[in-house]
Amino acid sequence: MAPTILSSSSSSYFLLILSLYFSNKCCCYAYASASAYAFEGRKIAEESQTHSLIVSSLIPSSICSSSSTASNKRASSLEVTHRHGPCSKLTHKKEISHTDILRHDQARVNSIHSKLAKTRLDRSAASGIVTTESTKVPAVSGETIGTGNYIVTVGLGSPKKDLSLVFDTGSDLTWTQCEPCVGTCYDQKEPIFDPTKSTSYTNISCGTTECSSLISATGNTPRCSSSTCVYGIQYGDSSFSVGFFGRETLTLGADEFKNFLFGCGENNQGLFVGAAGLLGLGRDKLSFVSQSSAKYSKIFSYCLPSTSSSTGFISFGGGVSKSVKYTPLSAIAASDNFYGLDITGISVGGKKLAISASVFSTGGAIIDSGTVITRLPPNAYSNLKSAFKSLMTKYKTAAALSILDTCYDFSKYKTISVPKISFFFGGGLEVPLDLSGILYAGSLSQVCLAFAANSDASDVAILGNTQQKTLEVVYDGVGGRVGFGSGGCS
């Protein structure tokens, strides 16, 4: 079966060439015209498999510009901004280097792999399977790291207080910093939420089903303070949040959700600086997606902007673009919390790489809004890297940038051409990546292929947020599918 392709434009070029060919009235030039047609056809085919760009556009502007194509936003939509860009309203934005961003990203990936390895080991033990040396859990464990890039604003409490939260499809528990800070609280944009000033806040008691549900959402057993349930969540970089587990009214756009279960953190530390906390969009029953399912049917979509100087959106409920095409959610053997995908292939410059399907199926794959750089099985990355480099030989190479090892110096160029890259998924879906999903620019003299290899072939592959840029990405939990549509935002 031929793959479903999100967009195509090459046919119009061939029609143009054909019309020029048949308009040639001089028969004596028929052979020359046919030869010219063949040459031009090859040239156009080659050009249609590359992105051309002005080099200076690789560096984000210092001025915010709203997306011009995020047109399907609904009443249940929120604006999405990059936490480190000029569109972010965070007043406590900390300067962070690209090296630090990529280092934190690797810590997040290590945390995801560790969490999946631990879950796999626990399930094996429960099934009576003997643990071998190769299945032992790595020393560093914990929930996925809290360094998400993208911020939304929601309301909490009665009366409503607006809070800027990192949204994360790889996390389940929603939490925010709360007064009083009995340990430490980091700086955030808005005043810290004070539950004593809300008429709708209540604590969850110990020993209740709700309290016990924290185990699957956080990976930790809840504790008690007097009779009140206390949650604790630690991330892979030693960031953490500890506090009371409670109910509150959460407001998203025009919609209110009463008795929403969340963490009211009174001791918080780590890389969340500026944001008030986290909006968990994973698959666990405590995630916002599950708690709002009566209203939104576990459907949400987002578009991440092409640069940090533009805006995107996140919407909940139906009404997604008709251009979106879907691939079935796959089961990740080691976890029910992540959104699994079946990657079946990759193409570079219009040519599908010779990668065995078993390369992708060995560890499986997930899509994650919080991971920056897509991680691939070592064999798949090696093939991608080789194909990309073979089409970029005219450009000067540059030193590696942290985990990115295929880099170029474009500082002497005004324009460049970059081969297009597409991913193929289960059900025959082809998703062409936007140019912003192919390159990562540290500077004009260090622009890198925005992919990295996992350290082991058995590690889960991760489709990161860089590769999702400008796509409308749709999560349909009830329908068991993920969708992609080109041109969701700019």
Side-chain angles (χ1 to χ4, degrees), residues 408-489:
Y408 298 88
D409 181 355
F410 296 140
S411 60
K412 305 297 184 183
Y413 296 87
K414 289 186 177 180
T415 62
I416 59 170
S417 295
V418 178
K420 292 183 177 179
I421 295 178
S422 287
F423 270 58
F424 296 81
F425 298 97
L429 175 63
E430 178 182 356
V431 179
L433 302 184
D434 186 74
L435 174 61
S436 60
I438 296 174
L439 298 177
Y440 185 100
S443 66
L444 294 184
S445 60
Q446 195 176 31
V447 182
C448 306
L449 178 64
F451 298 83
N454 281 330
S455 59
D456 192 275
S458 64
D459 288 334
V460 69
I462 305 172
L463 185 66
N465 61 43
T466 295
Q467 283 62 44
Q468 299 173 48
K469 287 180 177 179
T470 78
L471 295 171
E472 182 176 5
V473 184
V474 182
Y475 295 75
D476 181 355
V478 173
R481 58 185 187 167
V482 174
F484 299 91
S486 295
C489 58

Side-chain angles (χ1 to χ4, degrees), residues 194-476:
D194 187 346
T196 65
K197 295 181 180 179
S198 172
T199 60
S200 48
Y201 178 85
T202 57
N203 284 324
I204 298 298
S205 299
C206 287
T208 61
T209 302
E210 291 87 350
C211 188
S212 299
S213 66
L214 284 166
I215 297 174
S216 62
T218 68
N220 297 318
T221 300
R223 300 192 177 187
C224 290
S225 176
S226 297
S227 61
T228 302
C229 183
V230 175
Y231 79 94
I233 185 165
Q234 183 174 1
Y235 297 88
D237 66 333
S238 297
S239 299
F240 62 83
S241 177
V242 178
F244 293 116
F245 192 41
R247 294 184 188 272
E248 184 56 283
T249 297
L250 184 142
T251 305
L252 191 150
D255 298 328
E256 272 192 355
F257 298 91
K258 299 182 185 300
N259 298 315
F260 180 77
L261 295 167
F262 80 112
C264 204
E266 296 184 355
N267 190 6
N268 316 282
Q269 183 175 300
L271 299 171
F272 300 96
V273 175
L278 185 142
L279 181 67
L281 299 179
R283 302 180 71 184
D284 186 81
K285 58 187 175 183
L286 277 187
S287 75
F288 175 76
V289 177
S290 296
Q291 291 195 61
S292 64
S293 60
K295 177 74 174 179
Y296 299 140
S297 302
K298 294 188 178 181
I299 297 174
F300 67 98
S301 62
Y302 58 70
C303 184
L304 307 179
S306 59
T307 74
S308 60
S309 57
S310 189
T311 61
F313 68 87
I314 184 167
S315 299
F316 295 87
V320 301
S321 171
K322 293 182 179 179
S323 67
V324 172
K325 307 298 182 184
Y326 292 90
T327 182
L329 277 172
S330 68
I332 299 297
S335 177
D336 299 323
N337 298 49
F338 293 105
Y339 295 92
L341 294 175
D342 283 324
I343 301 175
T344 60
I346 302 172
S347 69
V348 178
K351 295 182 179 179
K352 199 166 184 180
L353 305 180
I355 304 173
S356 169
S358 63
V359 170
F360 296 108
S361 62
T362 298
I366 63 172
I367 180 171
D368 181 37
S369 69
T371 297
V372 178
I373 300 296
T374 287
R375 299 309 200 280
L376 294 171
N379 178 274
Y381 176 70
S382 178
N383 276 269
L384 170 62
K385 172 182 173 179
S386 296
F388 186 83
K389 289 177 69 174
S390 71
L391 298 173
M392 296 288 286
T393 54
K394 65 180 179 180
Y395 299 112
K396 180 183 177 181
T397 57
L401 176 59
S402 183
I403 59 173
L404 306 179
D405 62 10
T406 304
C407 303
Y408 298 88
D409 181 355
F410 296 140
S411 60
K412 305 297 184 183
Y413 296 87
K414 289 186 177 180
T415 62
I416 59 170
S417 295
V418 178
K420 292 183 177 179
I421 295 178
S422 287
F423 270 58
F424 296 81
F425 298 97
L429 175 63
E430 178 182 356
V431 179
L433 302 184
D434 186 74
L435 174 61
S436 60
I438 296 174
L439 298 177
Y440 185 100
S443 66
L444 294 184
S445 60
Q446 195 176 31
V447 182
C448 306
L449 178 64
F451 298 83
N454 281 330
S455 59
D456 192 275
S458 64
D459 288 334
V460 69
I462 305 172
L463 185 66
N465 61 43
T466 295
Q467 283 62 44
Q468 299 173 48
K469 287 180 177 179
T470 78
L471 295 171
E472 182 176 5
V473 184
V474 182
Y475 295 75
D476 181 355

